Structures are given as structure tokens and as C-alpha cells.
Amino acid sequence: MALTSRAVLVALAGLVPVALLPAPITVVAWAVVVAALCAIDVALAASPRELAVSRRLPASVRLTGTADSVLTLRNVGRRTARVLVRDAWPPSTLPGGDAPTGARTPRHRVDVPPGEARRVTTTLVPTRRGDAEAGSVTVRTVGLLGVAGRQASLDVPGRLRVLPEFASRRHLPSRLARLRELDGRAAVQVRGGGTEFDSLREYVDGDDVRSIDWRATARRDEVVVRTWRPERDRHVLLVVDTSRTSAARVLDGTRLEASVEAALLLGVLAAHAGDRVELVAYDRRVRARVADSHASRVLPALADALAVVEPALVETDWPGLVGQVRSRLSRRALVVLLTSLDPASVEQGLLDVVGGLTRRHQVVLAAVADPELEQLRAARSTVDEVFDAAAAERTALERAAVGARLRQRGVEVVEALPDDLAPRLADTYLALKAQGRL
């Protein structure tokens, strides 16, 4: 039996005049009356077990988007069910107690006549990516008096996959325009870039004389040059580091969140360029993988795989990571390591094995820069700030030294703030493509 707030109000309201009477037996009598009313109301209430509850839910939704969880309540009993429904969604397990989905109007009041069905909708507002599992649906039916009723928790499973936001999508149009210029599909003529033969055209001032096709020139009355286009059908492997360094917070998110955004933008851009895109999320084992897929399926595949990737509090197994790369690549490719420039992690692991990658592949390391480091370096008003500035300066020098050592081994290093990492990495990819280095 479940009591409502109305039952409490009735009991309190009746105790006031009863307490003024001299006979103490009247208090007990009034309590018996209230209990009898509750018992009658429970008897008149429909059983919550006579409601067949089903759920309709979209398979996925992007972060910052909304999704509707629709419950259908069908009354298979003989009484009209006056129902209060609560569609529960569990809170997040992350510190701070943020929920994976913030629910609007999770409680609904509805009357369901016998043999009929009603629908109630709960709007979900995701606050972080991942899989959100629906909790039990609590159904409370009340009688005609509304003072008591019956309650049951029904297991109505549901799962909503919250995909990454892909906020870096706004940078895609400008990079696609640049890609069209490189491919020669736009009006802008780009000279030099690429190594795949495209066509012949008349020589104009400023053309590289090394591009002159002397045989074609001999057959014509004009000087003819070869035009080139960036290589297509190249292999791009995105490696997302999910070790403990990816859990470090930078501004409002983690390093992993910035890496996810960068991977999505570069993956979509490379797919539009005609390259084959694969992804591996790795720390000491594979957390997610996307194999070579059609260009139109690259974004959905990457977003679905990265939606459930979370940082693991372990060190990266760099030899194992290199083994994963070698097992997936049989010829020269672009390998993008989305990791950190943490000096300890790089010096103790990556530097020892990165030479094996650069000998066969073009390697790019993309890392998130911490803006708070620059703030600490600039603030020197107090003694404490001077010590903080000295520590920040030392950290910056160590990171610069590690970056220089990686460049000496043939690695392109891209370090940028979280919001700038994705476009900077995309620009690096286009620059390598224009230089014919892929």
C-alpha cells in the first residue's frame, strides 16, 4: 500500500478538532477512520501489475541533443487506472554526480480506462557521451479518494547511446574547400602538390620547369606541363590513447574529449579525400576499433565506437600499440597518435619505439595544450606565483624538449588548445597531402 500526500493532509486536518475533545478515545477513533479510508481506497485502486508497459527509444543521440523515451501503458484489467508514472534514469558514476541524461518531466499523471492505452513521454537531455541505461518504471495507482493506492516497480529495459557532440564539425566546410583546391576541382589552380599524374595543360609563367612534359611538348606547338593531384586511396590510421594521461582535465573537459573531436574531424576529412580510415583506441588493450569502411559510413562508425571509450587508469603499452599498428598496415600510411606530450610517458615509452613507425609510415602526434600552464607562467605578482611560474616554465621547457626529440625521429608534432586541436590537425593533414608526403 502506498499513501499519498492527501492522506497525510486528511489525517492532520482531522486531528485538530479531535484534539480539542476531552475523550482521548476520539484520537484512536479518528486514526481508525483514516486507516479505513486508506484501506477502501487501496481496494478500489487498480493493480499496477495490470498495466502492460512498453518503451520506445531511439538507438542513439548526439551529445547536447534530445531524445524522447516514450512509455506505452496498456490497461489489461477491469478498472480505470489512475496512474502516476516515473520513468527513472540512473545517475552518472562520475565524481560530482552528473547524470548521463538529464530528464525533463520524468513523472506523469494519466488515467487509463480498461482495454485502452496511453502514452507518456520523457525528454532526455544527455550531459555526457556513453551508454545510458534506463532504470525501473515506477507505477502508482490510486483509488477514487486519492488518499492511498498501490505501487510497483516494473522492469522496462532501455539503452540510449549518447554519441560525441562533434562540435568541430563547424571547421569541416573550410577544410573541404581547401581539399577541393588540392584536387583541382575548384577554380583555384594549385601548383606542385601531389605525386599522382592528373592531366596535361599549357605552360604558364610560374610553373615549375621540372613539370614540363618534353615528349608532349615535342608533339605540339606549345610547351606542355604535367599537373599533379594529391594521392588518393591512402591509409589513415587514427590511434586514440586511452591511458591515464587522457583522463587529465583541461578546461571543462578531458584530454580524451579533445582527442575524440580531433579524430572525428580528421576521419571525415580523410574519407572525403578518398583515403581509407581506420581507428584504434588503445592503452594496454584495444578499447575500440573501426575497420576500413565506406566513406559515407566513416562518421557513424567513428562516433559509435568513440561514444563508449573512457580513460583507463593504466600506463600505455607502447610496444603493444606499435604491434597493433603494424598488424593493421601492410604499406605506407599516415599514423596519427592522439596522445599527450607528457615528458615521463613519452621518454619512458614512445621514444623507444617510435622509430619503428617513422621508418615505414608518416607519423603525426597530436596533443592537447593546457592553457592554465600559460597563465601560471605569466602570473608573478606574489612569491607563491613566482614559484608556480618557475614550475610551469620548467614543464613547458620539458615538453618543448620532448617535442624536439620526436621531430628528430621524423614525427610531426601538433600541440594546441582543446578547441584548436581538431582544426590544427586537419590543417596538418592537408599540408602533408599538398606536399605529397602521404
Side-chain angles (χ1 to χ4, degrees), residues 172-194 198 201 227-232 269 272-273 427 430-431 433-435:
L172 187 59
S174 61
R175 273 63 187 181
L176 289 177
R178 175 60 178 162
L179 182 63
R180 287 192 294 269
E181 293 176 8
L182 294 178
D183 281 344
R185 293 195 294 266
V188 178
Q189 178 64 45
V190 179
R191 298 186 180 93
D198 185 27
R201 63 169 175 81
T227 61
W228 309 89
R229 65 182 180 184
E231 302 88 338
R232 301 177 68 84
L269 182 61
H272 277 85
D427 290 340
L430 292 173
K433 208 167 186 63
Q435 297 165 14

Side-chain angles (χ1 to χ4, degrees), residues 31-187:
V32 172
V33 171
V34 173
L37 291 176
C38 292
I40 294 173
D41 221 22
V42 169
L44 295 176
S47 172
R49 301 291 179 182
E50 294 180 343
L51 288 173
V53 184
S54 60
R55 184 193 303 276
R56 189 178 74 246
L57 189 69
S60 62
V61 63
R62 290 202 176 275
L63 190 65
T64 71
T66 60
D68 289 338
S69 172
V70 181
L71 296 177
T72 301
L73 296 86
R74 182 174 301 278
N75 190 351
V76 297
R78 298 180 179 180
R79 303 178 184 177
T80 297
R82 303 172 59 195
V83 186
L84 174 63
V85 184
R86 181 178 181 270
D87 188 5
W89 288 82
S92 171
T93 57
L94 292 178
D98 293 334
T101 55
R104 296 176 181 171
T105 62
R107 293 179 175 83
H108 312 272
R109 292 185 181 274
V110 62
D111 293 346
V112 186
E116 298 187 15
R118 296 292 185 269
R119 292 177 178 174
V120 295
T121 301
T122 301
T123 301
L124 306 175
V125 185
T127 59
R128 68 174 180 87
R129 59 180 176 79
D131 283 340
E133 300 280 353
S136 300
V137 175
T138 302
V139 179
R140 177 183 293 179
T141 58
V142 297
L144 296 177
L145 301 178
V147 295
R150 306 181 188 182
Q151 180 172 305
S153 293
L154 308 178
D155 186 18
V156 186
R159 173 184 295 178
L160 177 66
R161 173 153 294 187
V162 183
L163 304 176
E165 182 182 1
F166 194 19
S168 56
R169 183 194 294 268
R170 65 183 183 276
H171 302 292
L172 187 59
S174 61
R175 273 63 187 181
L176 289 177
R178 175 60 178 162
L179 182 63
R180 287 192 294 269
E181 293 176 8
L182 294 178
D183 281 344
R185 293 195 294 266

